Amino acid sequence: MPRPKTTVTLSTVAKTAGVSIATVSKVLNGRSDVSSATRARVQDLLTQHGYVGRRPETVVRASVELFYQGALNNYSVEVIQGVVDAGQAANVDVVLNAHPRNESSPTDRASRWIRELISGGRRAAIGITSELTAADLAAVSRARLPLVVIDPANIPEPDMTSVGSTNFAGGMAATQHLLDLGHRKIAYLGGPPTSGCNQARMSGFRSAMETVGATVPKHYIWQRDFLYDDGVAGGTVLLDLPDRPTAIFAGSDEVALGVMEAARARGLRIPEDLSVVGFDDTQVARLASPPLTTVKQPLREMGAVALRTALRLAAGETIDSHHVELATTLIVRGSAAPIACE
């Protein structure tokens, strides 16, 4: 004679999992204040027992906040794709939002931002080239919300977890390529002086120049932002100099395209009259005319590593390093050529 079917209760699941009924309830309601290991154990038991509560629709997938500042560009779109792909593989939802700008009370704004993330059930947050204030970091720390920043817009704190690339080595490789082509009057047109990746790229540029004894005049350095318009503005200044450079290393592909436009506006041919090297290897580098020689960052992999690192932190795991750097590679195309004989 078949046994009567036993009704499974929250108490049964809690006892089997070795947790409280309140913890099981939190898992059912998608609350964020449950460790990933406990959540997985409880969810497995609920599935095994075929538990059907009164609000099964409240069981939701884990989610991660992905935030950015300013306008989205080719760089950020590539990184976002990497985060989203990794999220799908990990069965985690990625919620994309703009990071709120500073207000009159940064502390209140930061606290409100974190409260919104916690109430939304976010298990972690990932920032793309975002400038985080002391108030932001303090609010994140108080909430114990795991945070990973990809290419921070300001110099990261020692304990801030970040993901980037070998910017110094990439800067050296780009500059060495121009030096090998015979150029010595090389300028650097980069991003914000406070940006860690910008400083590393410029340091690599300076190091390569110093190795061959090439001087870098102060007016050969232009730092503003990594956008197209900054490339046009900086290129205009550099190419109007009486001793204009014969080559420019741009801190991003968008800046490089702006430089190329400034050159065309002055009747200069690329690469015959001016060689240009970029950084990132986004789609615009391949679509440029001529195609842009650039330093390739593994942007999608950077996004994927950030997502996986955030989930490890959310699970309470120990990570090997607070800062991960992925290798860069020089991609040679058609925007740089040997210096013309003078």
Side-chain angles (χ1 to χ4, degrees):
M1 184 173 180
R3 285 177 152 186
K5 190 173 181 179
T6 303
T7 301
V8 178
T9 65
L10 291 187
S11 178
T12 304
V13 174
K15 184 177 180 179
T16 306
V19 298
S20 67
I21 295 175
T23 298
V24 177
S25 179
K26 287 179 181 180
V27 172
L28 281 170
N29 286 281
R31 291 275 296 275
S32 62
D33 51 341
V34 180
S35 72
S36 59
T38 299
R39 182 185 302 278
R41 186 165 70 252
V42 171
Q43 287 177 334
D44 285 344
L45 286 169
L46 289 169
T47 301
Q48 291 172 21
H49 288 294
Y51 177 83
V52 179
R54 286 178 297 175
R55 296 175 59 194
E57 71 279 4
T58 62
V59 180
V60 296
R61 296 204 309 175
S63 63
V64 170
E65 183 87 358
L66 178 60
F67 64 91
Y68 63 94
Q69 286 178 337
L72 292 176
N73 54 22
N74 288 278
Y75 162 91
S76 53
V77 168
E78 289 286 328
V79 174
I80 289 169
Q81 188 65 60
V83 176
V84 171
D85 289 347
Q88 289 180 333
N91 199 33
V92 172
D93 289 330
V94 176
V95 182
L96 180 64
N97 275 309
H99 182 54
R101 292 288 187 177
N102 291 339
E103 299 172 0
S104 56
S105 177
T107 300
D108 291 344
R109 177 197 55 75
S111 297
R112 184 170 64 251
W113 172 54
I114 294 300
R115 285 198 303 270
E116 290 172 353
L117 297 189
I118 296 299
S119 64
R122 306 291 184 265
R123 292 183 57 195
I126 300 172
I128 303 176
T129 63
S130 294
E131 184 172 358
L132 299 174
T133 65
D136 289 327
L137 297 178
V140 167
S141 178
R142 286 195 302 272
R144 296 187 178 183
L145 182 73
L147 170 67
V148 178
V149 183
I150 302 169
D151 276 342
N154 49 341
I155 303 299
E157 297 290 330
D159 59 349
M160 178 193 293
T161 304
S162 60
V163 175
S165 68
T166 53
N167 290 291
F168 179 87
M172 282 197 69
T175 309
Q176 188 61 55
H177 178 63
L178 293 170
L179 291 169
D180 291 344
L181 293 173
H183 296 276
R184 291 299 182 270
K185 295 169 65 176
I186 308 172
Y188 175 72
L189 206 167
T194 58
S195 167
C197 64
N198 176 69
Q199 286 197 0
R201 291 169 198 174
M202 186 172 66
S203 295
F205 161 75
R206 287 188 179 278
S207 180
M209 295 292 280
E210 290 171 2
T211 299
V212 300
T215 60
V216 182
K218 186 176 180 180
H219 54 274
Y220 269 25
I221 302 293
W222 176 275
Q223 301 176 84
R224 183 173 292 177
D225 209 336
F226 289 121
L227 304 178
Y228 174 85
D229 288 343
D230 301 297
V232 174
T236 297
V237 172
L238 291 170
L239 297 179
D240 283 346
L241 292 171
D243 59 336
R244 68 174 178 83
T246 62
I248 294 177
F249 168 35
S252 76
D253 291 345
E254 288 199 26
V255 168
L257 264 63
V259 169
M260 293 166 74
E261 179 57 33
R264 290 193 185 96
R266 282 153 183 75
L268 299 175
R269 299 167 301 163
I270 295 173
E272 293 85 356
D273 302 318
L274 177 71
S275 287
V276 180
V277 175
F279 205 104
D280 286 335
D281 195 32
T282 53
Q283 186 178 18
V284 297
R286 299 182 287 278
L287 298 178
S289 180
L292 181 66
T293 293
T294 188
V295 176
K296 178 181 181 63
Q297 290 195 90
L299 299 176
R300 294 196 180 192
E301 181 60 19
M302 285 162 59
V305 169
L307 188 282
R308 292 194 292 265
T309 301
L311 293 180
R312 288 184 61 190
L313 291 171
E317 297 180 23
T318 300
I319 57 176
D320 298 328
S321 174
H322 282 294
H323 183 62
V324 177
E325 288 189 347
L326 304 183
T328 52
T329 308
L330 179 69
I331 306 297
V332 178
R333 296 193 178 99
S335 63
I339 187 170
C341 296
E342 297 182 354

